[in-house]
Every structure is written in structure tokens, then in C-alpha cells.
């Protein structure tokens, strides 16, 4: 739990954010400024600053993020049509929230 971190607040239930899925390792909620018809954020409960800061101890979290991303794509009915999974890394990579998160975006009409 990092003081002043909005994603720590969300994963610890300190906001009114609607949680779509959660387990002991991570939480899933909708992006507040969606860039796609379906735009979810898959967020570990552990505060990891960015992809640059992951360690050996985080292997299980990373694997869980991908497993849950795949399941959420099915649950949101975008698995077959297709979706993007994205990590923005550091400011130059577009990261603005410094608590690791995986974007799941899909649902475009093509
Ligand atoms: P990034 O640019 O990868 O750091 O993405 C951060 C994302 O978090 C952005 O797409 C924001 O729209 C989203 N975001 C910021 N605050 C909130 C919030 N309170 N609830 C949901 N999504 C948020
Ligand atoms: Zn945090």
C-alpha cells in the first residue's frame, strides 16, 4: 500500500470504483477514460511501480494477470473478435499511474 497511489486505494476498497473481478492477487475494473468499447485495467494488489520494477518474486502475479486477462476477454465477449493487452512503461511509454497495470482493450466493430 503506497500512500497517495490511486490504484492502491482502489484495490484496497477505498473508492467507489466498481470491481468487475478480484482475487487474492489482483483486481479488475473499467478504465475511467476508455480508449475502446471495452477497456479494463488488470491491477495487482501489490504496489509495483512499473514493469521496470518487477522481480523474481512477482512471477506468480504476472502470470495471474495474463490468465485473468484472457478470462476477462471471454467474460466481456471480446475474446473471439480480438483485443489488445498493453503495458505502458515509464513516462516515455505513456505510463501516468505508477502502479503496475495491464490494459485490456477490445470490442471495436471491424
Ligand atoms: P497508464 O497511462 O498506462 O498509466 O494508464 C493509466 C490509466 O488509468 C489511464 O487509462 C486512466 O484513464 C486510468 N485511470 C486513472 N484513474 C483511474 C480511476 N480512478 N479509475 C479507473 N481508471 C483510472
Ligand atoms: Zn499503488
Amino acid at each position: 500500500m503506497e500512500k497517495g497511489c490511486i490504484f492502491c486505494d482502489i484495490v484496497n476498497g477505498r473508492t467507489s470504483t466498481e470491481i468487475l473481478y478480484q482475487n487474492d492477487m489482483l483486481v479488475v475494473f473499467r478504465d475511467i477514460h476508455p480508449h475502446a468499447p471495452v477497456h479494463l485495467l488488470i491491477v495487482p494488489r501489490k504496489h509495483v511501480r512499473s514493469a521496470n520494477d518487477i522481480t523474481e518474486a512477482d512471477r506468480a502475479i504476472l502470470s495471474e494477470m495474463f490468465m485473468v486477462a484472457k478470462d476477462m476477454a471471454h467474460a466481456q465477449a471480446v475474446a473471439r473478435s480480438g483485443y489488445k493487452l498493453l503495458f505502458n512503461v515509464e513516462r516515455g511509454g505513456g505510463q501516468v499511474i505508477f502502479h503496475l497495470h495491464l490494459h485490456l482493450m477490445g470490442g471495436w466493430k471491424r
Side-chain angles (χ1 to χ4, degrees):
M1 176 96 193
E2 181 95 347
K3 208 165 163 242
C5 172
I6 180 64
F7 283 4
C8 280
D9 287 345
I10 292 172
V11 302
N12 288 290
R14 293 172 180 231
T15 70
S16 57
T17 306
E18 182 189 354
I19 304 301
L20 301 182
Y21 174 81
Q22 59 184 314
N23 65 24
D24 60 334
M25 276 194 231
L26 56 79
V27 168
V28 181
F29 50 91
R30 289 190 190 87
D31 195 294
I32 205 166
H33 298 303
H35 288 265
V38 172
H39 187 170
L40 308 185
L41 298 173
I42 294 135
V43 183
R45 291 187 181 278
K46 179 181 174 187
H47 181 89
V48 176
R49 197 187 147 279
S50 91
N52 277 338
D53 298 280
I54 58 178
T55 69
E56 284 292 329
D58 300 322
R59 280 182 187 275
I61 292 171
L62 294 170
S63 124
E64 185 66 8
M65 288 173 83
F66 278 93
M67 295 305 285
V68 168
K70 177 201 72 175
D71 291 345
M72 292 306 297
H74 278 280
Q76 297 280 316
V78 299
R80 192 170 298 186
S81 58
Y83 56 97
K84 296 179 194 293
L85 295 176
L86 173 72
F87 286 98
N88 291 324
V89 185
E90 304 294 343
R91 287 193 199 285
Q95 187 174 4
V96 296
I97 305 278
F98 287 86
H99 177 134
L100 188 70
H101 53 279
L102 177 59
H103 294 258
L104 188 170
M105 289 171 280
W108 302 280
K109 296 261 182 297
R110 289 211 167 131

